[in-house]
């Protein structure tokens, strides 16, 4: 008896403790698996903290608002960190190298994709979207233009661990568009059969228009492009080289990173750009996207190119002198057709996240079809047909349908690991040609530099041909 | 014997280790300073040299390849590197030269004993207190071709607007202008303090001997001021040599590569293009050049200092 009593007591105590633990754990277990009330896919993530890393700007502001709703519904804590975009890649890489797992969702411009995919920073989302218990059944991938998914989601380079992988979904949709002053065009007689302002369909037509506008309005800049060294220079040259026959979607080099921009299309494109710069501000080689937008908003130019993310400023009566007369169009074309340059950002689930399932659901929540309109109205730039056709969105941002339309032909910058270096080299090379260096010599010298840089980065341009 | 090999042998045949063992206290007193120096300077520098001998992606999932001095050879054969060296040298010469000339002129012209000097000393120093990034932003707006106030003022008095930032030559001169605006008060302050500390007797003797003002400056004031002048030169040369922030804000190295100074080039290579090996090699070269510059100036300074 004396021996059995303690045994019973111990068993009873152990059972009691186990039952207590089970009761205590029940809310956690059920909260992680329970669906949010009224939802057939969104789960509760009580006690989970998610961190999304992005850059400063209106899209991230809109994402913050949408994420707050996710936090409210699921019980997760969501922190959206926004900071200067220029330092973001090195921060993401440094965090990954340190094994920090600081971020659950990463966002990046597609030109950095090589680092994220080759470096193993993000998950292949194909498997995640196949999980019935986590996937949003109304996410609607078909609502996203295929061109956008190709550029913002895939990485098909030879160094890709899975060329058919889906590494990310669109975060911020950026297309290079034209903006023009209908009042000036009409006064200059550049009109269609109905007497309405007629924007140029080709770069040559734009040059002709510039001549007419200069004569009619000598104090006005007929054209202004972002041509500051590096990113703006290359982004502006992208639809031009494509229009003159550059390879699509990436006209800069082939699959082995053998340079191609020094060939015929590049030569023709730089020739017409040289002519066009005569009708641009004297300091156009110092003009980035912000300055071009300010120039347009101040009513100092008749025609400009810029990313769609900058256009709301032009429509805002408080900040734009041309809000009533500005209209939008695709970038001009050339003998090979009309192509729009794609920019933009994407987001993926960090491979080091401790809460990948919750992170994936947050990603779906932000990029899903049902939040698209809210995101766009809050200032986000959304790549969805349903958003572009929504009456409320079109009323607020009349250029949205154009964003989908111009995707019929698109061109992109590079995505490999060495692109930042190559882009700098190409940007400097093109800038120098516009400053007076011989075009042919400048293009070939730049091609040689990029060939060497690609080789040093571990790619194999020599497989295509010898150094240019 | 194995432990002591390679160490210097002191007087009386005692090895360095032996001397440390016999009299440890001086070494223990120096040890914390050495430790700090080792952790914060020596080890990071050695690690940077090690990185410069590799192709070094940040991510450990990508291969780090030892390439020896290949990166250095590539850099010395790279036209862009030599362009950076040229741009940095020209900028440094123009900027520091102007700052010292203006600072010295102002110091000679202004009499600190006058009450008015005290009134405007603080406002005069404001540019020095402002962050270079803020200075860059202010000047970016002021130097705008169409909307900048500088061109507006020029046009209002009948001149043409200047293409400050979109022209290769003017862009570099704009950087010089901004740096001179910010740092001339600093050189002025140092040189002015130096002038005030000079003995008056040599000047009085020169005046009695009938020396002109220029002769007095040439043969009396400047030789006496030279050590302080060299200190100002040392500060400004090293600071101008590592110019980054104003370029980052004002020109981003452009147009073309007209303002692509060394420090900006290193930042781009390291933190934007993620070529850490390349950036490390550039940094090693830059540190070597800065060290040679500093040693040369210190040597000049030590010759000028009276024994």
């Amino acid at each position: 008896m004396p021996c059995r009593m303690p045994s019973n007591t111990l068993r009873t105590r152990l059972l009691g403790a186990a039952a207590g633990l089970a009761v205590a754990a029940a809310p956690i277990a059920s909260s992680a698996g329970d669906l949010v009330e009224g939802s057939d896919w969104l789960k509760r993530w009580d006690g989970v903290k998610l961190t999304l890393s992005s850059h400063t700007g209106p899209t991230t502001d809109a994402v913050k608002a949408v994420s707050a709703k996710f936090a409210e519904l699921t019980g997760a804590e969501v922190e959206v960190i926004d900071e200067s975009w220029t330092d973001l890649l090195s921060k993401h890489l440094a965090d990954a190298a340190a094994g920090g797992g600081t971020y659950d969702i990463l966002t990046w411009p597609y030109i950095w994709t090589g680092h994220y995919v080759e470096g193993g920073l993000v998950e292949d989302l194909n498997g995640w979207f196949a999980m019935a218990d986590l996937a949003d059944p109304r996410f609607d991938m078909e609502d996203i233009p295929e061109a956008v998914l190709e550029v913002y989601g895939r990485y098909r380079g030879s160094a890709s661990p899975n060329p058919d992988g889906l590494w990310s979904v669109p975060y911020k949709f950026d297309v290079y568009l034209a903006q023009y002053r209908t009042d000036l065009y009409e006064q200059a007689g550049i009109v269609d059969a109905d007497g309405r302002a007629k924007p140029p369909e080709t770069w040559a037509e734009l040059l002709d228009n510039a001549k007419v506008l200069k004569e009619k309005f000598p104090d006005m800049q007929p054209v202004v492009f972002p041509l500051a060294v590096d990113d703006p220079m290359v982004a502006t040259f992208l639809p031009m080289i494509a229009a003159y026959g550059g390879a699509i979607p990436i006209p800069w080099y082939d699959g082995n990173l053998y340079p191609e921009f020094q060939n015929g299309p590049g030569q023709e494109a730089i020739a017409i750009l040289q002519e066009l710069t005569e009708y641009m501000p004297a300091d156009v080689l110092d003009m980035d996207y912000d300055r071009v937008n300010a120039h347009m908003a101040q009513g100092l130019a008749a025609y400009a190119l810029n990313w769609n993310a900058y256009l709301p400023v032009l429509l805002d009566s408080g900040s734009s002198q041309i809000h009533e007369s500005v209209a939008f169009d695709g970038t001009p074309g050339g003998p090979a057709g009309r192509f729009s340059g794609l920019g933009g950002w994407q987001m993926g689930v960090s491979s080091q996240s401790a809460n990948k399932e919750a992170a994936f659901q947050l990603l779906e929540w932000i990029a899903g079809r049902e939040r698209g309109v809210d995101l766009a109205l809050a200032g986000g730039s959304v790549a969805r047909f349903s958003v572009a056709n929504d009456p409320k969105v079109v009323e607020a941002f009349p250029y949205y349908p154009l964003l989908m339309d111009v995707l019929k032909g698109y061109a992109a910058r590079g995505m490999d690991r060495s692109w930042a270096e190559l882009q700098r080299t190409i940007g400097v090379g093109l800038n120098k040609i516009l400053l007076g260096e011989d075009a042919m010599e400048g293009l070939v010298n730049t091609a040689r530099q990029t060939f060497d840089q690609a080789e040093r980065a571990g790619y194999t341009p020599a497989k295509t041909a010898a150094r240019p | 014997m194995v432990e002591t090999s390679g160490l210097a042998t002191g007087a009386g045949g005692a090895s360095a280790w032996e001397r440390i063992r016999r009299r440890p206290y001086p070494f223990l007193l120096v040890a914390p300073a050495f430790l700090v120096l080792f952790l914060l300077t020596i080890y990071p520098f050695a690690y940077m040299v090690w990185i410069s001998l590799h192709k070094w992606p940040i991510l450990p999932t990508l291969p780090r390849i030892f390439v020896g001095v290949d990166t250095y050879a590539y850099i010395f054969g790279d036209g862009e590197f030599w362009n950076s060296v040229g741009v940095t040298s020209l900028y440094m010469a123009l900027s520091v030269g102007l700052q010292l000339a203006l600072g010295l002129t102002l110091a000679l012209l202004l009499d600190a004993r006058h009450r008015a000097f005290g009134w405007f000393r603080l406002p005069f120093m404001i540019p020095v207190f402002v962050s270079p990034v803020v200075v860059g932003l202010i000047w970016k707006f002021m130097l705008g071709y169409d909307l900048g106030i500088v061109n507006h003022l020029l046009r209002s008095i009948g001149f043409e607007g200047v293409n400050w930032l979109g022209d290769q030559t003017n862009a570099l001169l704009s950087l010089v202008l901004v740096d001179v605006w910010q740092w001339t008060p600093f050189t002025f302050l140092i040189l002015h303090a130096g002038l005030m500390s000079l003995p008056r007797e040599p000047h009085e003797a020169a005046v009695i001997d009938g020396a002109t003002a220029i002769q007095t400056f040439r043969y009396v004031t400047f030789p006496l001021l030279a050590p302080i002048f060299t200190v100002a030169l040392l500060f400004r040369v090293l600071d101008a040599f590592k110019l980054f922030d104003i370029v980052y804000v004002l020109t981003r190295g452009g147009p073309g590569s007209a303002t692509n100074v060394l420090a900006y080039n290193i930042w781009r290579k390291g933190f934007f293009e993620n070529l850490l090996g390349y950036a490390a090699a550039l940094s090693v070269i830059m540190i070597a050049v800065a060290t040679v510059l500093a040693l040369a100036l210190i040597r000049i300074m030590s010759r000028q200092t009276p024994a």
Side-chain angles (χ1 to χ4, degrees), chain A residues 274 431-439, chain B residues 168:
Chain A
Q274 281 175 310
N431 238 217
K432 283 182 175 173
I433 293 169
L434 296 181
L435 284 162
E437 196 173 278
D438 179 72
Chain B
Q168 295 188 88

Side-chain angles (χ1 to χ4, degrees), chain A residues 277-301:
Chain A
T277 49
E278 290 172 27
Y279 299 92
M280 296 187 200
D283 61 339
V284 70
L285 296 186
D286 179 52
M287 295 184 98
D288 57 12
Y289 309 118
D290 284 317
R291 284 201 59 209
V292 165
N293 214 38
H295 212 73
M296 253 333 243
Q298 297 267 358
L300 297 173

Side-chain angles (χ1 to χ4, degrees), chain B residues 12 20 22 31 41 76 86 101 116 118 124 126 135 164 167 179 202 206 213 218-219 224 236 261 268 291-292 303:
Chain B
I20 293 170
R22 281 187 199 156
T41 306
F76 287 125
F124 191 59
I126 284 174
V135 169
W164 294 104
D167 173 85
D179 204 53
R218 168 73 181 82
Y219 296 107
L224 288 170
R236 291 311 307 142
V261 293
R268 256 206 80 83
T291 307
V292 169
R303 279 184 190 166

Side-chain angles (χ1 to χ4, degrees), chain A residues 222-267:
Chain A
V223 186
V224 58
F225 292 170
L227 291 179
V229 72
D230 208 342
D231 193 272
M233 178 73 243
V234 172
T236 298
F237 198 64
L238 175 60
M240 303 186 84
I241 189 172
Y244 283 95
I248 298 301
I250 297 179
W252 311 104
Y253 45 60
D254 67 7
N256 294 321
L257 269 66
Y258 184 85
E260 291 185 325
F261 57 86
Q262 75 279 17
N263 299 328
Q267 293 163 23

Side-chain angles (χ1 to χ4, degrees), chain A residues 196-217:
Chain A
R196 286 183 301 196
K198 181 181 177 298
E201 291 182 13
T202 64
W203 298 102
E205 205 180 317
L206 174 62
L207 183 60
D208 292 340
N209 291 353
K211 291 172 184 168
V212 173
L213 287 161
K214 190 70 191 170
E215 203 172 311
K216 181 81 178 170
F217 308 105

Side-chain angles (χ1 to χ4, degrees), chain B residues 128-184:
Chain B
V128 178
F129 304 143
V130 182
S131 151
V133 173
V134 176
V135 169
L137 282 171
I138 292 169
W139 281 93
K140 178 105 181 155
F141 286 117
M142 291 195 353
L143 294 176
Y145 182 75
D146 284 307
L147 304 171
I149 193 158
V150 176
N151 275 356
H152 175 74
L153 291 173
L154 286 174
R155 288 185 186 114
S156 67
I157 53 172
F159 290 100
E160 286 278 309
V162 176
N163 185 6
W164 294 104
L165 301 173
D167 173 85
Q168 295 188 88
T169 308
N170 291 348
L172 185 63
L173 292 178
S174 298
L175 292 181
V176 172
L177 170 74
V178 175
D179 204 53
V180 167
W181 174 82
Q182 184 169 27
W183 291 107
T184 297

